[in-house]
Structures are given as structure tokens and as C-alpha cells.
Amino acid sequence: MALVYQSVPLNMPAVWLVLMIILLIVEGIVPGLVSIWFALGALGALLSAIVGAPLWLQVLWFLLISLVTLVLTRPLAKKYVNSRATPTNADMLIGQECIVTEAIDNVLGLGAVTVGGKIWTARTENHDVKAEVGRVMTVVRIDGVKLIVK
């Protein structure tokens, strides 16, 4: 007995509308802009489906509008929307000199420095370098609650 494939006609405006709604929900849930461009592409495809365009043209509109809006607006969105990194007072420590108050040994996970009147746990930038008490070092970055020094 042979199986006969029977095509079920899709209501393409409904398909594009559902896709657009799903993409907008994803956009609302995920922080930053991630799918708005594709939702706009789905809107373009929805409009072309409403006026009776063939499926290949609907897909072309979806891809074209998504790509154009992504290319034209992504750099602006990345600059203004997704860049919410707020510098903290701790960032001012980078580049400052510090004094080792507890010998730094990355292997044992020990070490502390004093900088700006505060004591911080510290690790050396080069993992095989140890630092003895009293040595003056420079803060190169902050990793969690530890200063990375050289």
C-alpha cells in the first residue's frame, strides 16, 4: 500500500502573524535586542501574504527585510541598547599600585593586597609567578572579587 502525500494548504498570513508574535515575545523576554529584526521581516512577509504574493516572494521579503533592518540598525542598537555596563568605583583601581599584604600563590589560592586603603584578595596575572609580602605591584584587572596584579 502506497502512502499518498496530500498537501494541506496553509493560511500564510496566519503563519507569518504567529511567527511575528513568537519573535516579539522572545524579544520581550530576552534582555537586549535579539529578534526584533526578524519580527519586522515577518511583518513584511505578512503584508505580502495578505496581498496574495506567492510563497517564494513572501520568504524573500522576510529574508530581505530582516537582513536590511539588521545591517542598518544593529550597530546603533548595540551601541545604545545593549551597552548597559556601568563602571563602578572598583574600576578606578585598574592601573594603580598596590602592596602585597599576604604572599600571593595562585596554586594554593592565597594572596592579598592593599590598594586605596582597602584589602583585596589577589592573584598574579602570570599563574606561575608568586609575590612576597611588601612587594609593590600594579592592578591589571578585576576578576569577580579578586584583583589580578602584575
Side-chain angles (χ1 to χ4, degrees):
M1 184 161 101
L3 293 175
V4 177
Y5 175 75
Q6 192 171 17
S7 175
V8 176
L10 291 175
N11 181 355
M12 286 313 292
V15 171
W16 291 117
L17 180 63
V18 168
L19 180 62
M20 184 176 71
I21 290 170
I22 289 170
L23 290 167
L24 289 172
I25 289 170
V26 168
E27 186 65 41
I29 293 172
V30 177
L33 296 175
V34 293
S35 64
I36 190 70
W37 304 280
F38 305 108
L40 291 171
L43 175 63
L46 170 65
L47 295 174
S48 67
I50 289 172
V51 297
L55 181 59
W56 68 266
L57 187 57
Q58 295 171 35
V59 172
L60 181 67
W61 275 117
F62 171 75
L63 295 174
L64 188 65
I65 292 171
S66 296
L67 183 66
V68 167
T69 56
L70 178 66
V71 168
L72 293 178
T73 61
R74 177 82 174 139
L76 291 173
K78 194 172 183 182
K79 182 178 179 181
Y80 293 109
V81 176
N82 292 342
S83 63
R84 296 186 182 188
T86 306
T88 65
N89 290 342
D91 293 329
M92 295 185 319
L93 298 175
I94 297 171
Q96 288 193 13
E97 289 186 341
C98 57
I99 300 173
V100 177
T101 56
E102 177 186 330
I104 300 174
D105 187 333
N106 291 338
V107 175
L108 296 176
L110 300 174
V113 296
T114 299
V115 60
K118 306 274 187 227
I119 297 176
W120 288 75
T121 55
R123 301 293 176 262
T124 56
E125 184 177 41
N126 190 344
H127 293 290
D128 55 348
V129 173
K130 295 181 180 181
E132 298 303 319
V133 173
R135 183 172 174 185
V136 176
M137 304 195 77
T138 303
V139 177
V140 289
R141 70 178 186 276
I142 300 171
D143 186 9
V145 295
K146 293 179 180 66
L147 297 183
I148 308 301
V149 297
K150 68 175 182 176

